[in-house]
Each structure stands twice: as structure tokens, then as C-alpha cells.
Amino acid sequence: EVFQLQNATTVTGELLGPITGRQYEAGIKGELLDQRLNVSAAVYRTIRSNEALADPANTGYSIGGGKRRAQGFEAEISGEIVPGLNLTAGYAYNVTKILVAAMSQVGQAYAPTTPKHNFMLWANYTVPAGGPLSGLEVGGGLRAQSDFYSQVGTVRFQGESYTIASALLGYSLNDNIRLSVNAENLFDKKYYSKVGSVTSNNY
């Protein structure tokens, strides 16, 4: 159940009532390959009502009645697919929509800074004990997301979609000491991880 207080006021000086609503979620998880592999998936929907809206008759004041929806799904798989090789992969889809607001806003995304698509993949392999390369570990992965934006009046700050590659090289000297080198953003990709406004929150 959603219950969130607001600080917006009406033209009479009264605080708007709280945002109310509900979130629904259903999921499933399990194990495969003799419990070496874990899988999970979930779907969700959140409805929020009584969001503050600009009062069309009184500039600078608000009225209640706005309604918004967020929904999507997530899936993940992780574990040891073959001896020594561990894999983690995940995908998330999220879409937000304004259901009740000023006519110019209805149908638009209410959280456009949240990308619709997120994907993550990571794999690492450890050489089994007993061989000449025993203790060596190599890994690599990708992190990708779709485009997103922030709207401030008529100005839009756009963050383009991007994919970041990373890698790892490690070696265990013994049971207590392990050396590793981690490389992030292997291909020196330039991107915005967050966008906000003219003065702040652009990274």
C-alpha cells in the first residue's frame, strides 16, 4: 500500500492530502543444474493517486487528483554453468506513465530519468586446482541501458543509451592472499549516467 505525504498547498493554504495507491508484484524463482544455477523473474505494477497538480486557475498553487502508473518486469540468472565458470545475467524493463494530469502531460513518462531497459552480464572463470595455472581467474562483463532524459520546461536534457564493458584478472597466491586487477569502461565510453537540470544532477 502506498501512503506518501505531500507539501503542496491549495489556494486556501491547506496541504494536499497524501498520495495513496497500491503496488502489486508476483514472481517465481528456482534452481537448475543440480542447484548450481539460480533463476528468478518478477512482474510489478504501482498505481499512485492524488498526486499534486498545478492549479489551472491559481498560479503557484496545487490541486489533487493526479494519477501515475509504473510497471515492468525483472529477470535474473546466476550460478556455475560448468565447473569453474560462473555467470550472472539480468534484465529489467520499467515504464512509467501519467494517467491523470494536465492534458499536455497525459500519456507521458513521469520518471523519464529511469531507462526502460537495463541489462547486465558478467562471467568469470577460475582455473581448477592441480594444473599449472591453478588459482588464475579471468572475468568480463557488460552493463547496458537505453536512453533517458530530464525535462525542465521546454528544455530537455538527453542521456543517450550506452554499453560499458569491464574485465578482471586475478590470481590466488594461497588461501589468504589474492591479487586482482579490475578494469572499468574498457573502451573509454563517454556517457551520462544521470541527467537533471541546468544547474545540477548531470553526471
Side-chain angles (χ1 to χ4, degrees), residues 49-74:
S49 299
N50 201 44
E51 298 264 0
L53 301 174
D55 187 336
N58 299 282
T59 303
Y61 295 98
S62 301
I63 58 175
K67 192 172 185 180
R68 301 178 179 184
R69 181 184 70 205
Q71 60 187 12
F73 69 89
E74 301 173 338

Side-chain angles (χ1 to χ4, degrees), residues 3-199:
F3 184 91
Q4 181 179 334
L5 300 179
Q6 303 186 86
N7 59 8
T9 58
T10 67
V11 68
T12 61
E14 297 177 348
L15 284 172
L16 287 181
I19 297 169
T20 59
R22 290 189 179 276
Q23 176 169 314
Y24 305 90
E25 184 171 347
I28 186 172
K29 60 182 179 180
E31 298 172 330
L32 304 172
L33 302 179
D34 294 328
Q35 300 182 340
R36 297 198 317 270
L37 201 62
N38 299 304
V39 294
S40 64
V43 295
Y44 62 89
R45 169 179 282 190
T46 302
I47 302 289
R48 295 160 52 99
S49 299
N50 201 44
E51 298 264 0
L53 301 174
D55 187 336
N58 299 282
T59 303
Y61 295 98
S62 301
I63 58 175
K67 192 172 185 180
R68 301 178 179 184
R69 181 184 70 205
Q71 60 187 12
F73 69 89
E74 301 173 338
E76 183 174 294
I77 182 171
S78 63
E80 188 178 33
I81 54 177
V82 297
L85 179 60
N86 285 275
L87 173 73
T88 301
Y91 171 74
Y93 173 78
N94 181 68
V95 60
T96 64
K97 189 175 184 179
I98 298 174
L99 303 178
V100 178
M103 287 302 297
S104 60
Q105 296 178 313
V106 172
Q108 295 183 6
Y110 78 79
T113 55
T114 302
K116 286 185 178 180
H117 306 278
N118 274 287
F119 175 75
M120 179 272 295
L121 173 66
W122 179 263
N124 66 289
Y125 177 73
T126 302
V127 178
L133 297 178
S134 176
L136 181 67
E137 180 184 4
V138 293
L142 300 172
R143 178 171 57 87
Q145 68 175 50
S146 58
D147 60 344
F148 54 100
Y149 66 91
S150 174
Q151 190 81 26
V152 182
T154 59
V155 180
R156 175 172 291 195
F157 296 84
Q158 184 75 40
E160 302 297 336
S161 60
Y162 62 86
T163 300
I164 302 300
S166 303
L168 172 148
L169 179 64
Y171 184 74
S172 296
L173 297 176
N174 52 49
D175 290 341
N176 300 312
I177 300 176
R178 179 177 175 273
L179 306 176
S180 67
V181 175
N182 298 272
E184 297 285 343
N185 198 0
L186 283 175
F187 304 108
D188 196 25
K189 175 72 174 178
K190 295 182 179 180
Y191 63 97
Y192 283 101
S193 60
K194 183 178 180 180
V195 293
S197 66
V198 175
T199 58

